[in-house]
Amino acid sequence: TATIRWFMAYLVFVFFSSGSHDEKLSSRFSNVVLWFGALVVLASVAVTAIEQLGRALPGMNLLYPTYGHNHVANILVFVFPLALHRFVQKKDRAGALLTLFFGAALVFSFARGAWLLVFGYLWYFFFTHRQFSARTKRAALSGLLAIGALAGFFVIFSKSLPKEFVDHPLFHRQIIKDTTLANRLPYWKQAAAAIQERPLFGAGPGTFYLLSKRLQEAPGTHSWFTHSCPLEIFVEVGVVGLIGAVGLIWYLFRQVSRSHGHNGLFHGAVLALVYSLYEMNLNFLVIWL
């Protein structure tokens, strides 16, 4: 199935690249993705409110926080820049509402890694966008600094919060937990050990789960995924595959950035790739495609 995912991604890439110079297609795709994101968030609210529906979903899903944070954040990281760009360019009510809607959904996903990523993106967006006056930039950056400090405090000290802070077990699981780095270190250590065993061509696509179970230092510390796309590629297809994948992505992004560098889709794709450095978002088929 891991190999099939690569072939599917190639076919989807060929399909979209054949029409990449059609601005109408790009605009339509952006609108479809925005409304798809809105529908997914509403579905997530529904299955979270009706707990029986959420528990009926498989463990790896984009709607209900089965293990930790809600992975709807994987979609929000991609669609938030689209909504923001639409709002800034068109200054319409739909763009403003979608930006606020996706921002609120991201907060309540409790995906702390996504918080920090989007915070950094907003800082970059307001700092580099020529359309804003110096006064607007100062106000925006001051507000972002305050929000970032609050989010950073929460990320670092959420594990230390008293159990009485949250009564509901679902939100307790999402809020009171280790830092993003601490949760992933065991998997990254396993990946490093696996790379040392077969550095050139890797152990094969989709094999990290088997390696993780064999290399875990304590029971229950294994995972299906490394929670880092480059590391997973390195483990499964070796340095040869990693150089090929990174080289291809770098080449494509250099080509696209020349004509679409300030496009919401481009920014969304960049955020999704950066997020994949420390998250398993690209292991979800719909995000990967």
Side-chain angles (χ1 to χ4, degrees):
T1 56
T3 307
I4 289 171
R5 288 173 67 247
W6 284 87
F7 280 110
M8 290 177 71
Y10 172 72
L11 293 174
V12 170
F13 167 75
V14 170
F15 174 77
F16 278 98
S17 63
S18 64
S20 61
H21 299 293
D22 185 347
E23 289 298 328
K24 290 183 178 179
L25 177 63
S26 178
S27 177
R28 288 171 184 169
F29 181 68
S30 296
N31 289 331
V32 168
V33 170
L34 281 171
W35 294 113
F36 170 73
L39 288 172
V40 170
V41 171
L42 292 174
S44 177
V45 172
V47 299
T48 304
I50 306 171
E51 203 166 348
Q52 295 86 345
L53 288 177
R55 290 181 177 178
L57 293 172
M60 188 172 175
N61 71 85
L62 290 165
L63 300 177
Y64 183 78
T66 310
Y67 300 117
H69 64 264
N70 193 328
H71 284 285
V72 74
N74 299 339
I75 291 175
L76 295 170
V77 161
F78 184 77
V79 300
F80 183 82
L82 273 71
L84 184 62
H85 274 258
R86 172 176 174 151
F87 171 59
V88 170
Q89 291 169 1
K90 295 185 177 182
K91 293 183 174 59
D92 60 344
R93 185 177 297 178
L97 289 175
L98 282 171
T99 303
L100 291 173
F101 179 68
F102 289 142
L106 187 64
V107 169
F108 288 102
S109 72
F110 297 104
R112 297 168 299 175
W115 289 357
L116 296 178
L117 178 62
V118 172
F119 167 75
Y121 170 69
L122 285 170
W123 189 278
Y124 161 83
F125 183 82
F126 283 106
F127 188 76
T128 60
H129 213 287
R130 298 177 181 177
Q131 187 172 340
F132 302 118
S133 65
R135 184 178 179 180
T136 302
K137 286 183 179 181
R138 284 195 298 270
L141 295 178
S142 298
L144 285 172
L145 190 62
I147 294 171
L150 183 62
F153 178 85
F154 185 84
V155 168
I156 296 170
F157 297 104
S158 59
K159 182 68 175 178
S160 304
L161 292 171
K163 294 182 178 179
E164 297 77 15
F165 183 78
V166 181
D167 291 330
H168 196 284
L170 175 64
F171 292 105
H172 185 279
R173 184 173 70 244
Q174 294 185 83
I175 294 174
I176 302 179
K177 55 186 177 182
D178 286 326
T179 62
T180 299
L181 182 62
N183 286 332
R184 287 154 176 72
L185 273 179
Y187 313 139
W188 293 350
K189 287 180 180 178
Q190 293 159 12
I195 288 167
Q196 290 177 357
E197 293 179 355
R198 296 183 179 181
L200 195 58
F201 295 108
T207 56
F208 178 75
Y209 173 67
L210 303 174
L211 297 165
S212 180
K213 289 200 78 171
R214 177 166 61 83
L215 297 169
Q216 61 182 328
E217 295 179 353
T221 58
H222 61 277
S223 172
W224 279 95
F225 312 110
T226 59
H227 294 68
S228 172
C229 186
L231 262 183
E232 191 159 310
I233 292 173
F234 202 167
V235 168
E236 297 185 349
V237 288
V239 67
V240 173
L242 180 65
I243 291 173
V246 172
L248 177 62
I249 291 170
W250 177 255
Y251 169 76
L252 290 174
F253 268 73
R254 287 198 64 183
Q255 295 292 105
V256 173
S257 65
R258 292 170 185 170
S259 54
H260 301 285
H262 298 290
N263 185 300
L265 275 174
F266 180 77
H267 285 186
V270 170
L271 288 192
L273 281 176
V274 173
Y275 197 37
S276 75
L277 296 178
Y278 55 91
E279 185 52 87
M280 62 177 193
N281 57 323
L282 297 186
N283 291 112
F284 287 89
L285 183 61
V286 65
I287 307 293
W288 169 248
L289 294 181

